[in-house]
Amino acid sequence: YIKPSLDIVHILDSYQIVLDQIIVNYHSIAHIYGGDFNARLGELDNSYQELFTKTNLHVERLSCDNTVNFRGRQLLEFMSNNSMTLLNGRTYSDHQGKYTFLSHIGKSVNDLVWCDNNNLSFINNLEILYDIFISDHFPLHLSLISDLTPPQSSPIGSSNSGTKTLNWKESLCSTYRINMQFSTNVGRISSVEDTYRNLINTIYGTSVSAGMATTRKTINRNNKPWFDCECFHSRKNVKRCLQACKNSNFDNESLERFIAKKKKYKKVIKNKKITMKKTLYPYCQTRMIKQTFGKLCDHFVTT
């Protein structure tokens, strides 16, 4: 995170010292850097076409944010001098260069992910997760290409946060076909059973990477006893407004409506937590008194 109030030139000079140490000590592994750089690059790009041969990345980088500022130019020059390539606006899930920041201040792409030029072939996908919206910054999900297979204890389509279901989308047909064609699993044939398992895993993994999977999240009510129907419906309204915002290409009217709904949702959550604390406070006080009294009794007994 780079504060917008700090001098970007001074920060990058300091960062160069750290970066040089990382390169010397870990020169044989991929270097990926990401965070809130508070810099706007628009569609600026210093990369050359040969870098993207045999990768999943697009040569042309796009961005919904057309603003370019001094910090963005300085950051791009710094990263280019250190053989780093910006991934935002280059993957099949983020080829549009989606906004990573939405608030009453405005909208921008300032949460960025960079990878060193020698390891771009390991990048599978970069996705902006719009379903997590409590913060003004949306999370970025980066997936890498690896030969490692998932543990057998984790069945296909399941995760700790919910269950993934596949939904065919005609608009993503070409992306799915290309991903299947260049999958690292192609050609791995041994027994019939292994071939079947390999085919199933490849279809599932390719579908998820292409954006044809939806996750049904399971909420642990025990961890959030204050999350009632009002919270649920308020969150649902925020999701609707966010979807409308995306459909309208984040125009000002839709953006204002989304921000207002999110503000209301956060207020509802805050009030629910306060109410829960007030409800539990007398019981906590009673328990603390009992514990203190018990310790005093133990003290007098032992002495």
Side-chain angles (χ1 to χ4, degrees):
Y1 171 69
I2 301 179
K3 290 184 178 181
S5 58
L6 298 179
D7 181 10
I8 187 68
V9 176
H10 175 71
I11 292 296
L12 294 179
D13 287 341
S14 301
Y15 186 42
Q16 184 67 65
I17 299 174
V18 178
L19 191 60
D20 290 340
Q21 294 175 348
I22 294 175
I23 294 174
V24 170
N25 295 327
Y26 306 99
H27 57 86
S28 60
I29 62 175
H31 295 169
I32 298 174
Y33 306 96
D36 179 9
F37 289 88
N38 275 305
R40 303 176 71 175
L41 287 77
E43 294 185 353
L44 288 180
D45 190 14
N46 287 347
S47 302
Y48 45 93
Q49 186 173 354
E50 289 75 11
L51 282 175
F52 306 103
T53 304
K54 296 182 180 180
T55 71
N56 289 335
L57 303 176
H58 295 277
V59 176
E60 182 185 11
R61 192 182 75 81
L62 303 178
S63 179
C64 292
D65 185 5
N66 296 320
T67 301
V68 180
N69 58 16
F70 174 77
R71 296 171 65 90
R73 291 190 178 92
Q74 291 295 313
L75 179 63
L76 180 62
E77 182 181 357
F78 172 84
M79 290 298 188
S80 298
N81 292 339
N82 285 279
S83 301
M84 304 290 293
T85 295
L86 181 60
L87 302 181
N88 295 66
R90 272 208 168 89
T91 61
Y92 42 78
S93 291
D94 188 44
H95 193 208
Q96 298 175 352
K98 299 174 184 176
Y99 293 111
T100 64
F101 175 83
L102 295 177
S103 78
H104 66 281
I105 300 175
K107 50 191 177 183
S108 62
V109 179
N110 51 21
D111 302 282
L112 309 171
V113 179
W114 308 77
C115 178
D116 68 280
N117 295 341
N118 294 328
N119 292 284
L120 293 176
S121 59
F122 288 102
I123 303 300
N124 181 40
N125 191 26
L126 176 69
E127 181 181 6
I128 315 301
L129 303 181
Y130 279 130
D131 57 337
I132 303 175
F133 45 74
I134 288 295
S135 171
D136 293 334
H137 294 265
F138 294 98
L140 277 65
H141 178 255
L142 177 68
S143 59
L144 305 177
I145 297 174
S146 173
D147 291 333
L148 298 176
T149 55
Q152 295 298 324
S153 58
S154 299
I156 289 178
S158 67
S159 65
N160 294 331
S161 58
T163 303
K164 287 186 180 296
T165 56
L166 302 183
N167 299 294
W168 179 259
K169 298 179 182 179
E170 196 65 33
S171 59
L172 299 174
C173 177
S174 59
T175 302
Y176 174 83
R177 178 174 53 80
I178 293 173
N179 292 344
M180 283 289 288
Q181 182 179 355
F182 293 100
S183 172
T184 56
N185 294 335
V186 174
R188 297 180 180 179
I189 300 176
S190 51
S191 65
V192 175
E193 184 178 347
D194 290 340
T195 302
Y196 169 76
R197 173 57 57 180
N198 180 54
L199 176 62
I200 295 298
N201 286 334
T202 303
I203 292 175
Y204 175 77
T206 303
S207 301
V208 172
S209 299
M212 294 185 181
T214 56
T215 303
R216 294 182 179 179
K217 295 186 177 180
T218 304
I219 301 174
N220 189 344
R221 300 296 181 186
N222 294 328
N223 293 336
K224 299 179 180 179
W226 45 266
F227 196 94
D228 56 12
C229 291
E230 184 180 0
C231 296
F232 175 80
H233 290 297
S234 181
R235 184 182 64 180
K236 197 171 183 179
N237 289 333
V238 178
K239 288 185 176 181
R240 284 202 192 103
C241 288
L242 178 57
Q243 185 60 47
C245 200
K246 290 161 62 178
N247 294 339
S248 63
N249 199 24
F250 298 94
D251 61 38
N252 293 332
E253 183 179 352
S254 299
L255 181 59
E256 290 177 2
R257 193 179 300 114
F258 163 69
I259 293 171
K261 289 291 183 181
K262 186 175 75 168
K263 184 177 180 180
K264 182 179 179 181
Y265 172 58
K266 294 172 73 172
K267 186 176 181 180
V268 169
I269 288 179
K270 182 179 179 180
N271 291 337
K272 294 294 180 180
K273 289 181 178 180
I274 292 174
T275 303
M276 178 63 69
K277 287 180 180 179
K278 289 181 178 179
T279 304
L280 296 177
Y281 184 75
Y283 299 99
C284 294
Q285 286 290 93
T286 303
R287 186 172 182 179
M288 288 175 63
I289 292 172
K290 288 182 178 179
Q291 289 177 348
T292 305
F293 180 75
K295 290 180 180 179
L296 287 173
C297 290
D298 292 340
H299 174 73
F300 285 115
V301 169
T302 55
T303 55

